[in-house]
Every structure is written in structure tokens, then in C-alpha cells.
Amino acid sequence: MSYFSAISKIQFEGPSSTNPFAFKHYNPDEKIGGKTMEETLRFAVAYWHTFTFEGNDSFGVGTMLRPWDHLSGMDQAKVRVEAAFEFFEKLDVPYFCFHDVDIAPEGNTLAETYKNLDEIVAMLKEYMKTSKTKLLWNTANNFTNPRWLHGAATAPNADIFAYAAAKVKKGLEMAKELGAENYVFWGGREGYETLLNTDMKLELDNLGRFFHMALDYAKEIGFTGQFLIEPKPKEPTKHQYDFDVATGLAFLQKYDLADHFKFNVEANHATLAGHTFEHELRTARINGMLGSVDANQGDMLLGWDTDEFPTDLYSTTLAMYEILLNGGLGSGGLNFDAKVRRGSFEAEDLFHAHIAGMDSFAIGLKVANRLLEDKVFEDFIAERYESYTKGIGLEIVQGKTNFHQLEQHALSLRDIRNTSGRHERLRAILNQYLLAEQLSSVQ
Ligand code: XLS
Ligand code: NI
Ligand code: NI
């Protein structure tokens, strides 16, 4: 049975191809900086946006036309699995990601939900035997059902905390069963609406306890995947506790969890927090905490998580620059936590969207690699901070000086010279590199 029969396997045809169902830049076997594109980029399809999302928004119902529309419940869930693996294969993507509720409907009881999950997990496992596509990560959706209206691990109600724990316990078992390389925590409703009814300290302490119990359970069952926190400042809650990487890091350090977690950095969450994508990646990277990426983009004119497919080449280039400096993503990957626009309702749009995203990151990888090879910014930065490699600067970084000596130094100064940061020149060089990539592509 084929669900996308009009579309055959997507091949790399090069930049001059006019075939909409071909990669123009993503060439999985091509080596960039010693590794194949496939090895570095580690693309993943997000089950929820691609197979579960119906195209609804807060003003309208679903618009998507999908081959499984005529079905419901477990029948629909099973067809989605079949279609998903056809999609993965046609796109030749190495990974996928899911929330528990994406793959199987919730039952009337928790036990029934488990039963539904078990059935689909067995089916996924069967498909994975013959497919190259592996599980990058899974997670628990502890935010959609009305029971989570006050949060999950940070809810004021201990029964809800227990229910959340049970779902994560099951999630870790599924992760182990399917060989997930990571397990993600995105605290969709782990935050607050108003401090007037909130015991913030207890909620945060409980979140810390929750993560420790999750780690204990992973150890108990021998799940060795990387634990990841996905920061987001708001939406659906007004204030989310894992606001951004820096806030998440302080939380992990305070609760003695920093050795066991890394971050899953999402582009659109970064911009919602008032940061650039590359700022969040940098903050995670310099703290040794960059684990994985939710690759999407927001819309600067809209104030919410629009989860668009990434096509902004500046953003993909600067993101890949951080990722290369990080030495890659380890067990993480680039997960398209992105959805087609509501008006792109045909099944073929799912292919167009992923091809666009994969090509955009492939370009980002090539340009970032050249920038690094030529040490474009590194040389400039090294020169900019040169004063710390000698004299008083060297003493500062070696911890060999104090305020008395620094005052002596300052008093002796006659002529302090600043140098230009050359912001605009550097932006122009970045443009040149991007354009050179484009030009060499069209030739
Ligand atoms: C929502 C989040 C979510 C996580 C997984 O904004 O991005 O999709 O990636 O729960
Ligand atoms: Ni995400
Ligand atoms: Ni998001």
C-alpha cells in the first residue's frame, strides 16, 4: 500500500535542477569538513507536525488533506505508521521524533493508553527492522489533555504530578524499546499564569525532583540516551520555567542535574525569548550543553511559535557555524519541529517543506564550513582580544593580578586606544560567503 504514490524517492540533482521533488543542495554522501552531510546534519522528521497535525489554528479547524483522513482511532494510528515509513524512505531521512499522543490515541484510562502505545510501538519496531530511519528522541505530551491545565510536574495537584511521572516512565520504556538516542523534556505547561496563585519555589523544587526520578528510572531500565531540556519562554503558559538556555542551565545547576542533561535548542523558541537562534546555540555550546536542535523558524511579525520550515539562509548558516564549532551534535540531530502553513494543505507540500528545510541547512553547512576553514571570524576575534595574550591582560586571564595592581596599571595609562568592531564589514563578508556559495551553485 502506498500513500504518496505520485512521489518517488527524492534524489540529489544539484543546484540547477528544476525538479521540485529533488534536493538541490542536500547530497547525503557529499563530504563537507571530513564528514558526510548525512552524518553532520542528522535530520529528523517530527511525527506531530507531519502525520498528526490537521492544520487547525485558534480561529479555524483543520485544512490538511491526508491519506488517513477517512480513518479514526487506532486504525488511523496504524495507517499513519505505514505512511510515515514510506515518507521517511522517500525523503531518505535518518531519524524521526514523536510525542506519545502523536503515535497512538489516549484511551479512557491510563492503562488503555498504555495498551494503545504498546501496539503502535510494536509496529514501529517492526518497521524499524527494515528501515534505516531511527528514533532520535521521543517525549511525553503532558500539555494537551485538559488534565494538564495547571501544569504537569509543576501542577499544584500531586495526583497530576504522579500521572505525569507515569507517562514519562512509559516514555522512557518506549525510548529503550525503540533505541531512542535521546529523551526530550519540553515543559509546555510547566510555568505559571499568575504569581497570585503560585508557589513558585515548590513548583521548581518539584520539577527538580521529577527530573531526578526520571534519571533514576532510566538507569534502572538501562536507557542510556541523552536527556534533553527544550527551553521556551512562554506559550502556552504566560511564563515557562525553562525560559531559555541560561535560565535552564541555572535550574539544572541548582538542582544538581547539569551533568545529566543537555539542551534541545529550538530556533523559534530562541526568538520568542528575545534571542537569536545562534545566541541560544552559543550559550549551550560554550557550557558544553548543546545536545540537539529543533530546526524551524519564526515570523518576526507574529509573536508566537509559528514553527515554519527553516528557509532563512543566514539563520541556517549561523546555526551550522555553532554546530560545527561544537564538533557536531553528538547523539542529537536537526529535528524539523516545523509545520506546513495552513494553506499548504496537500500531502505533496510535506515533501516540498522538508526538501526546502534540508536544502537550507545543507547550504548553511557548506557556508559555515568555508567560513571556518578560512578562519574569517576567528582571526578577527583573535586580534580583537589580543590584549589578553600579553602584559596585564595575560595576568588577568591567568588569575595573577588583583585590584591594587590593576589600579596601578590604570593610573599609569596615558593613551587608551579602542579599535573598531567592524560590525558592518563582517556582515558584508558573511554576505560574500553566502553569495559565493550561491554563485558556485548556479554555475
Ligand atoms: C513546542 C515544542 C514541542 C517540543 C516537543 O513548542 O517545540 O513541539 O519540541 O514537545
Ligand atoms: Ni520543539
Ligand atoms: Ni516549539
Side-chain angles (χ1 to χ4, degrees):
M1 179 74 193
S2 170
Y3 300 93
F4 308 105
S5 53
I7 296 155
S8 32
K9 193 166 175 158
I10 312 299
Q11 311 279 355
F12 171 72
E13 289 187 6
S16 55
S17 167
T18 52
N19 176 2
F21 296 104
F23 295 119
K24 321 292 182 300
H25 302 277
Y26 178 60
N27 183 6
D29 301 325
E30 186 180 331
K31 285 203 168 172
I32 305 282
K35 270 195 201 167
T36 67
M37 285 201 190
E38 183 169 11
E39 283 165 343
T40 302
L41 295 166
R42 298 169 61 85
F43 288 125
V45 171
Y47 210 93
W48 54 103
H49 287 309
T50 296
F51 307 111
T52 323
F53 176 60
E54 290 172 350
N56 47 299
D57 67 13
S58 32
F59 296 95
V61 296
T63 58
M64 300 298 155
L65 296 179
R66 298 288 180 253
W68 47 83
D69 284 342
H70 59 294
L71 299 166
S72 64
M74 285 296 281
D75 291 338
Q76 188 178 56
K78 287 176 191 164
V79 163
R80 280 183 173 139
V81 173
E82 292 173 9
F85 279 89
E86 183 184 339
F87 187 78
F88 301 155
E89 194 183 311
K90 290 197 160 159
L91 210 57
D92 195 30
V93 52
Y95 289 100
F96 73 113
C97 301
F98 68 82
H99 301 83
D100 45 11
V101 305
D102 307 331
I103 58 164
E106 278 200 75
N108 290 323
T109 61
L110 182 59
E112 222 177 274
T113 302
Y114 281 178
K115 202 173 140 272
N116 292 348
L117 286 169
D118 288 343
E119 212 173 322
I120 300 295
V121 166
M123 196 174 163
L124 289 171
K125 196 168 182 182
E126 203 48 43
Y127 271 83
M128 286 167 77
K129 277 186 190 154
T130 51
S131 166
K132 77 176 243 186
T133 308
K134 295 182 281 183
L135 184 57
L136 187 67
W137 52 260
N138 62 306
T139 184
N141 174 328
N142 287 353
F143 45 88
T144 298
N145 189 289
R147 83 174 67 84
W148 312 117
L149 84 178
H150 292 310
T154 64
N157 177 344
D159 289 343
I160 298 292
F161 183 99
Y163 208 110
K167 283 192 79 210
V168 170
K169 176 175 178 287
K170 185 72 181 170
L172 291 168
E173 289 160 14
M174 295 193 288
K176 161 100 178 150
E177 177 73 7
L178 297 174
E181 299 189 20
N182 310 269
Y183 187 84
V184 162
F185 293 89
W186 170 63
R189 294 193 193 271
E190 311 294 27
Y192 66 82
E193 289 300 322
T194 171
L195 286 176
L196 299 180
N197 65 13
T198 302
D199 185 341
M200 192 192 223
K201 172 143 191 339
L202 178 65
E203 291 199 1
L204 284 163
D205 288 351
N206 279 348
L207 190 57
R209 292 181 184 109
F210 191 92
F211 287 144
H212 274 288
M213 286 189 258
L215 283 168
D216 289 346
Y217 189 66
K219 202 166 171 197
E220 185 183 326
I221 63 172
F223 172 66
T224 53
Q226 175 66 50
F227 273 33
L228 299 169
I229 284 195
E230 184 179 322
K232 184 175 183 181
K234 56 187 166 193
E235 196 205 5
T237 49
K238 169 184 159 147
H239 180 96
Q240 191 170 308
Y241 290 133
D242 305 326
F243 192 95
D244 58 4
V245 170
T247 313
L249 182 56
F251 169 87
L252 291 173
Q253 285 168 343
K254 173 171 178 193
Y255 292 97
D256 201 17
L257 291 158
D259 290 346
H260 307 285
F261 279 80
K262 286 185 175 173
F263 289 99
N264 182 36
V265 173
E266 177 163 325
N268 206 160
H269 297 183
T271 48
L272 276 178
H275 302 307
T276 59
F277 185 20
E278 56 273 19
H279 167 96
E280 287 293 82
L281 293 167
R282 175 77 58 101
T283 308
R285 174 171 76 75
I286 62 175
N287 286 291
M289 302 289 276
L290 177 53
S292 200
V293 169
D294 270 5
N296 61 14
Q297 71 187 27
D299 184 322
M300 291 310 158
L301 300 182
L302 301 173
W304 61 92
D305 199 12
T306 57
D307 285 344
E308 290 171 24
F309 273 83
T311 51
D312 176 343
L313 302 181
Y314 278 97
S315 176
T316 59
T317 298
L318 295 176
M320 287 315 301
Y321 179 84
E322 295 301 326
I323 291 168
L324 290 178
L325 280 173
N326 196 56
L329 286 169
S331 67
L334 294 173
N335 168 47
F336 289 113
D337 191 354
K339 58 184 176 229
V340 289
R341 296 306 84 193
R342 200 163 172 264
S344 307
F345 54 86
E346 294 179 350
E348 72 167 69
D349 290 306
L350 295 173
F351 285 90
H352 297 311
H354 282 86
I355 292 168
M358 291 162 84
D359 273 340
S360 298
F361 266 93
I363 294 176
L365 167 60
K366 287 194 218 169
V367 179
N369 184 61
R370 279 194 205 163
L371 286 165
L372 284 164
E373 273 176 2
D374 295 354
K375 293 188 181 241
V376 175
F377 303 126
E378 286 61 33
D379 282 348
F380 185 85
I381 290 171
E383 210 180 306
R384 189 162 184 241
Y385 293 87
E386 210 193 351
S387 67
Y388 287 96
T389 61
K390 55 191 182 212
I392 192 76
L394 188 60
E395 284 178 29
I396 293 172
V397 297
Q398 289 179 338
K400 284 185 184 156
T401 186
N402 57 35
F403 268 17
H404 295 289
Q405 288 163 14
L406 288 166
E407 182 185 48
Q408 284 311 308
H409 182 81
L411 285 168
S412 74
L413 292 171
R414 290 290 161 266
D415 178 27
I416 302 180
R417 292 234 309 274
N418 267 317
T419 52
S420 167
R422 302 270 184 257
H423 181 107
E424 297 76 8
R425 190 183 123 212
L426 294 169
R427 301 284 299 200
I429 295 175
L430 177 57
N431 275 353
Q432 269 184 306
Y433 271 76
L434 263 164
L435 202 62
E437 177 56 40
Q438 308 294 78
L439 291 176
S440 71
S441 296
V442 238
Q443 274 154 21

